[in-house]
Amino acid sequence: MGGKRDNYTTSELRHDWLADRWVIVAPQRSERPEDYSHIVSIHSDSTDCPFCCGHESETPGTLASYCSAGVNGSRNWQVRVVPNKFPAVNGVKYRMDSSDGSLSPHFPVSPVLGNGQVDGAAGIDLYLRRQLTGGHEVIIESPNHIQSLSQLERETVGLVFRAYRDRLAYWRQERNSCYAVVFKNVGYDAGASLAHTHSQLIATDILPTEVSRHVSRMEEYERREGTCLFCRMLAEESEQGVRVVENTSSFTAFCPFASRLPSMVNIVPKQHLSSFESLDNVALEELAWLTHRLIRRIERCYPKAAYNFVIHTAPMDKQESSAFHWRMELFPRITKVAGFEWGSDCYINPISPESAAALLRTVSL
């Protein structure tokens, strides 16, 4: 779209069927989409960075490591997975596996705390609580002190995504785990506390409410329409074309019709797959490089903006679901979630998805 202003000039409501949420697309609130260059920085000093090569003793022990030749246990690593030193999920303990020296999780008993009364004479307990068990891991994406996945070589990006697949597959095998998610925070506004490029995985013994709602909505759509929600969406997005950013043989990247955040991109496999972990090596390599390209597009449109991505894979009991279709969300953090959004759960997006996709498509790589 070059230097033209947004063609969508008036506010409209758009419905996100999956989340059952309304979004206000209000392009008149913004300047040109390319004028967004929200510069966010966090402390970056390689001399005291625990993720740099040579500082391995400053993190908990290695869960897995990768180099171009495969899994490697030495310091000559390109990607390394470790337990989070300050886990969001309490209760998980890691112990040494005597067979190969790696760490594995050990789950303690998680008793319900409080009176545990949910009905009956005492009524509903408003203070029900218990320990949360699971795992919280960090995927360190390079031994070098770089800040974005876009700075990695193609081969290393492939190793990063291999680590994602391996660790999600590992947690799917753990009977104590109900759900696991891989996510990446880059920049202060995206929630990152360290500059060194890394991703995280959290596994829990509960299914989060929002995830449960998404599962129910996908299953409802399949019951009512006789097909998968995202399979139908991919067909329609490909036909319309206006929100598609990039196509590969196995994936379509598009800006969702009711994007709650500006320039959000969904990456969805063209083949119906419920779990990310079921990707074969060829498709995994393709996805890794597509993600690398999309991050470069975002960084060129919004220089130094923070960004996140999230891999939404099927819950543990939905691995072969005909309704659940795994997807990946990638989005720059160029606007703030403010009072209206918090008070209403209705988001205001100042860049129409059609204009965002057009801008991202124009980027030369």
Side-chain angles (χ1 to χ4, degrees):
M1 57 180 269
K4 295 180 181 178
R5 288 184 177 271
D6 200 323
N7 293 325
Y8 299 81
T9 57
T10 59
S11 294
E12 66 176 14
L13 279 170
R14 295 190 181 189
H15 186 240
D16 179 346
W17 204 95
L18 177 64
D20 196 16
R21 175 192 293 125
W22 286 96
V23 173
I24 299 172
V25 177
Q28 73 276 13
R29 288 171 56 88
S30 73
E31 297 299 319
R32 295 169 299 179
E34 59 266 37
D35 287 342
Y36 284 94
S37 55
H38 190 188
I39 298 176
V40 178
S41 62
I42 58 178
H43 175 68
S44 178
D45 185 355
S46 60
T47 60
D48 60 359
C49 174
F51 292 166
C52 286
C53 186
H55 294 190
E56 288 83 358
S57 63
E58 298 177 30
T59 68
T62 301
L63 294 169
S65 62
Y66 300 79
C67 65
S68 56
V71 178
N72 174 42
S74 73
R75 280 180 51 182
N76 185 27
W77 55 272
Q78 290 172 272
V79 177
R80 182 168 171 254
V81 184
V82 301
N84 194 302
K85 193 173 183 178
F86 307 101
V89 180
N90 295 318
V92 65
K93 304 292 183 182
Y94 288 89
R95 58 188 176 190
M96 188 72 70
D97 187 327
S98 59
S99 63
D100 61 6
S102 64
L103 296 177
S104 59
H106 169 63
F107 298 96
V109 176
S110 300
V112 172
L113 306 176
N115 63 33
Q117 186 72 38
V118 294
D119 54 20
I124 296 173
D125 184 0
L126 297 181
Y127 304 99
L128 191 67
R129 59 195 175 100
R130 70 164 176 82
Q131 291 181 351
L132 175 65
T133 63
H136 191 173
E137 301 175 358
V138 178
I139 299 95
I140 304 169
E141 299 164 348
S142 174
N144 303 316
H145 196 73
I146 58 177
Q147 298 186 36
S148 176
L149 197 74
S150 63
Q151 296 172 270
L152 297 177
E153 298 294 330
R154 180 168 188 158
E155 184 178 51
T156 307
V157 180
L159 292 176
V160 170
F161 275 71
R162 179 180 164 186
Y164 295 165
R165 184 181 63 181
D166 289 353
R167 298 313 298 170
L168 283 171
Y170 174 87
W171 283 101
R172 189 171 290 281
Q173 296 168 3
E174 287 294 335
R175 295 182 180 179
N176 298 70
S177 180
C178 291
Y179 174 71
V181 61
V182 166
F183 59 96
K184 183 173 179 63
N185 308 328
V186 177
Y188 180 81
D189 275 1
S193 56
L194 288 172
H196 191 123
T197 186
H198 67 283
S199 308
Q200 298 180 67
L201 179 151
I202 289 181
T204 69
D205 63 352
I206 62 164
L207 188 63
T209 302
E210 185 76 355
V211 177
S212 179
R213 183 167 68 161
H214 285 184
V215 170
S216 296
R217 293 289 287 179
M218 289 190 213
E219 292 175 342
E220 179 186 351
Y221 188 90
E222 185 186 44
R223 284 194 302 271
R224 291 170 58 175
E225 299 295 320
T227 188
C228 161
L229 167 64
F230 277 96
C231 289
R232 171 76 61 81
M233 190 182 297
L234 280 181
E236 297 191 3
E237 290 295 344
S238 296
E239 180 180 351
Q240 296 177 29
V242 292
R243 288 176 292 275
V244 174
V245 179
E246 190 168 350
N247 259 309
T248 68
S249 61
S250 301
F251 300 94
T252 297
F254 63 95
C255 295
F257 169 75
S259 305
R260 66 189 184 278
L261 296 173
S263 290
M264 172 180 278
V265 178
N266 271 4
I267 308 170
V268 182
K270 294 178 180 179
Q271 176 187 359
H272 180 83
L273 293 171
S274 58
S275 62
F276 170 88
E277 309 89 276
S278 62
L279 285 178
D280 61 31
N281 290 337
V282 174
L284 192 71
E285 178 70 23
E286 187 179 316
L287 174 64
W289 195 237
L290 172 60
T291 304
H292 184 277
R293 290 169 61 84
L294 291 169
I295 292 172
R296 287 169 62 197
R297 291 182 187 277
I298 285 173
E299 289 177 338
R300 293 192 182 185
C301 289
Y302 313 109
K304 298 186 179 181
Y307 70 84
N308 301 88
F309 67 64
V310 183
I311 297 174
H312 299 279
T313 190
M316 304 314 178
D317 62 345
K318 301 292 181 181
Q319 186 172 5
E320 304 299 330
S321 170
S322 60
F324 194 99
H325 196 129
W326 82 262
R327 70 201 184 281
M328 183 171 169
E329 288 182 324
L330 167 64
F331 44 97
R333 303 300 291 269
I334 56 179
T335 58
K336 296 286 189 181
V337 175
F340 178 78
E341 288 85 354
W342 285 115
S344 65
D345 197 33
C346 180
Y347 287 74
I348 300 174
N349 183 348
I351 305 176
S352 73
E354 295 79 7
S355 296
L359 177 65
L360 291 168
R361 284 196 302 266
T362 65
V363 173
S364 298
L365 297 176

